[in-house]
């Protein structure tokens, strides 16, 4: 797990065989901005030489906060460090706990929407328009049906895009059954179970794990872990849990400023960012990120690293507070 303190970007622009080639790469360091720049320049030169030799590589890396480039370090503001765990602020402003070996398992009741909301709503709207027009024998009836269905489907799509759980109890029941089956097959495991707005969060207490272990992959597969979360854990070599509310669930509709919220931001824009964070943190005080439900399995087995992470997690998420989760 790498969460650097400093970031920089290197750039090389040279003419090769009559063609101008420009290559940019990021660098990082926990030591200093100069060390980050040296690392960026080194990575840029290596990429440039490989491109000139004929390799097909991207000329420029995207500036993304998390998991954007198959294992690039986590590019988020460091809020605090507790032992080997690091609390960062993610791209939409929430605080997140990153740990190299204490396993969090993220289980969503419904599969989050990966496509565009507009595309999700358009197909049923078109079908409704055709059926409605044919039934009413007029294009006006079809248009009205299409508009109504589009509005309803669009709202559903927005909720799915944000990872909101539906009111259907079946997915929650299936998730609970998977947990029960897993513990029946692994009676020596100790799991703490939390409720999140969109599903369950499990914290393994009995041992520590490497995110790249097959044991972790098998666990994720058996429990139906969100595929994006599983890939992020593997690529970033860490486990991760959100510690504070999602902004849109606590009445903050404006995106973190300045957009897109990827760290670091220029000094002149920090006051705008700090003002947004102050507003967000004030609103988040009245909400928990998750709610502790129960401990299951062999609860007598507790690894000291897991115990330390659990205490930090429960305090920061307000998991025992009884506050509404968001």
């Amino acid at each position: 797990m790498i969460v650097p303190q400093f970031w920089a970007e290197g750039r090389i622009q040279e003419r090769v065989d009559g063609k101008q080639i420009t290559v940019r790469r990021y660098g990082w360091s926990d030591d200093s901005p100069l060390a980050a720049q040296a690392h960026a320049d080194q990575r840029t030169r290596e990429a440039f030489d490989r491109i000139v030799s004929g390799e097909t590589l991207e000329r420029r890396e995207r500036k993304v906060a998390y998991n954007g480039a198959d294992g690039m370090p986590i590019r988020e503001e460091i809020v605090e460090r507790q032992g080997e765990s690091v609390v960062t602020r993610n791209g939409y402003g929430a605080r997140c706990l990153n740990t190299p070996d204490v396993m969090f398992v993220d289980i969503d009741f419904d599969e989050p929407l990966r496509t565009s909301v507009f595309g999700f709503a358009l197909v049923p709207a078109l079908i409704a328009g055709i059926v409605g027009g044919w039934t009413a024998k007029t294009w006006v009836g079809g248009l009205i049906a299409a508009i109504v269905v589009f509005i309803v489907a669009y709202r559903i799509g927005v909720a799915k895009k944000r990872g909101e759980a539906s009111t259907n109890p079946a997915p929650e029941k299936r998730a609970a059954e998977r947990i029960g089956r897993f513990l029946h097959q692994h009676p020596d495991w100790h799991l703490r179970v939390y409720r999140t707005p969109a599903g369950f969060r499990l914290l393994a207490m009995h041992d520590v794990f490497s995110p790249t272990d097959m044991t972790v992959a098998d666990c994720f597969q058996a429990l139906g872990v969100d595929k994006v979360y599983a890939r992020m854990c593997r690529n970033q070599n860490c486990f991760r849990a959100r510690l504070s509310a999602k902004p849109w669930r606590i009445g903050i509709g404006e995106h973190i400023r300045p957009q897109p919220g990827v760290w670091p931001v220029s000094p002149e824009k920090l006051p705008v960012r700090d003002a947004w964070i102050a507003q967000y943190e004030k609103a988040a005080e009245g909400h928990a990120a998750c709610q502790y439900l129960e401990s299951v399995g062999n609860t007598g087995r507790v690894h000291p690293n897991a115990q330390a992470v659990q205490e930090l997690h429960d305090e920061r998420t307000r998991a025992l507070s009884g506050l509404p989760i968001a």
Side-chain angles (χ1 to χ4, degrees):
M1 181 181 80
I2 306 176
V3 189
Q5 185 79 35
F6 304 103
W7 285 84
E9 186 177 27
R11 179 178 181 272
I12 294 178
Q13 185 176 73
E14 296 179 6
R15 298 191 70 84
V16 179
D17 296 332
K19 295 181 180 180
Q20 183 169 280
I21 298 177
T22 303
V23 177
R24 294 179 174 89
R25 288 292 185 270
Y26 291 111
W28 51 88
S29 173
D30 280 329
D31 297 329
S32 68
L34 287 176
Q37 188 62 60
H39 185 228
D41 294 341
Q42 173 193 340
R43 294 187 69 242
T44 306
R45 172 53 64 184
E46 291 173 353
F48 185 91
D49 291 343
R50 290 171 64 185
I51 290 171
V52 169
S53 69
E55 280 194 59
T56 303
L57 299 174
E58 293 290 337
R59 301 291 179 90
R60 184 173 187 173
E61 290 174 330
R62 292 185 300 132
K63 184 180 179 182
V64 291
Y66 188 77
N67 198 47
D70 294 328
M72 282 284 286
I74 297 171
R75 185 179 185 133
E76 295 176 346
E77 178 186 9
I78 296 174
V79 178
E80 62 176 308
R81 295 182 185 271
Q82 294 285 346
E84 294 187 333
S85 298
V86 182
V87 177
T88 59
R89 191 172 303 280
N90 72 8
Y92 56 76
R95 285 173 280 112
C96 294
L97 175 61
N98 306 273
T99 172
D101 58 5
V102 177
M103 182 168 64
F104 286 97
V105 182
D106 187 16
I107 305 173
D108 289 335
F109 295 154
D110 298 308
E111 183 70 22
L113 183 66
R114 306 301 181 196
T115 59
S116 73
V117 176
F118 181 84
F120 174 82
L122 183 61
V123 175
L126 290 175
I127 295 173
I130 294 171
V131 174
W134 182 83
T135 303
K137 306 300 182 184
T138 171
W139 67 269
V140 176
L143 179 61
I144 292 173
I147 292 174
V148 170
V149 171
F150 181 85
I151 292 173
V152 173
Y154 190 87
R155 289 176 176 174
I156 294 173
V158 169
K160 288 178 71 65
K161 193 75 171 180
R162 290 178 169 179
E164 309 291 349
S166 70
T167 56
N168 182 3
E172 180 174 355
K173 181 180 179 181
R174 288 195 295 268
E177 289 172 348
R178 287 197 301 272
I179 295 172
R181 286 195 300 269
F182 183 83
L183 283 173
H184 181 73
Q185 296 166 357
H186 302 82
D188 56 330
W189 282 49
H190 171 192
L191 299 174
R192 283 176 69 87
V193 184
Y194 301 84
R195 184 66 160 84
T196 67
F200 289 133
R201 175 182 297 173
L202 309 180
L203 172 56
M205 295 293 297
H206 61 287
D207 205 351
V208 291
F209 301 84
S210 168
T212 58
D213 281 350
M214 280 304 301
T215 302
V216 173
D218 292 342
C219 171
F220 283 0
Q221 178 69 28
L223 292 171
V225 167
D226 175 62
K227 294 178 181 178
V228 172
Y229 175 74
R231 186 172 70 249
M232 287 179 173
C233 289
R234 184 173 61 252
N235 287 352
Q236 299 291 358
N237 201 31
C238 77
F239 302 100
R240 184 168 166 98
R242 179 172 55 83
L243 297 180
S244 60
K246 291 186 175 180
W248 55 86
R249 290 178 178 155
I250 56 175
I252 298 180
E254 183 184 29
H255 195 282
I256 186 173
R257 311 296 297 181
Q259 292 193 40
V262 180
W263 188 258
V265 300
S266 55
E268 65 272 14
K269 294 180 179 179
L270 277 176
V272 176
R273 177 183 172 90
D274 291 342
W276 187 96
I277 290 174
Q279 178 193 13
Y280 163 76
E281 292 290 357
K282 183 177 178 63
E285 287 178 358
H287 298 81
C290 62
Q291 179 184 21
Y292 171 70
L293 298 179
E294 61 178 335
S295 295
V296 292
N298 186 358
T299 57
R301 290 187 64 192
V302 178
H303 193 283
N305 289 12
Q307 179 73 40
V309 168
Q310 177 251 309
E311 292 173 357
L312 175 64
H313 169 269
D314 288 5
E315 178 186 350
R316 300 296 190 272
T317 59
R318 302 184 176 95
L320 306 176
S321 67
L323 292 170
I325 56 177

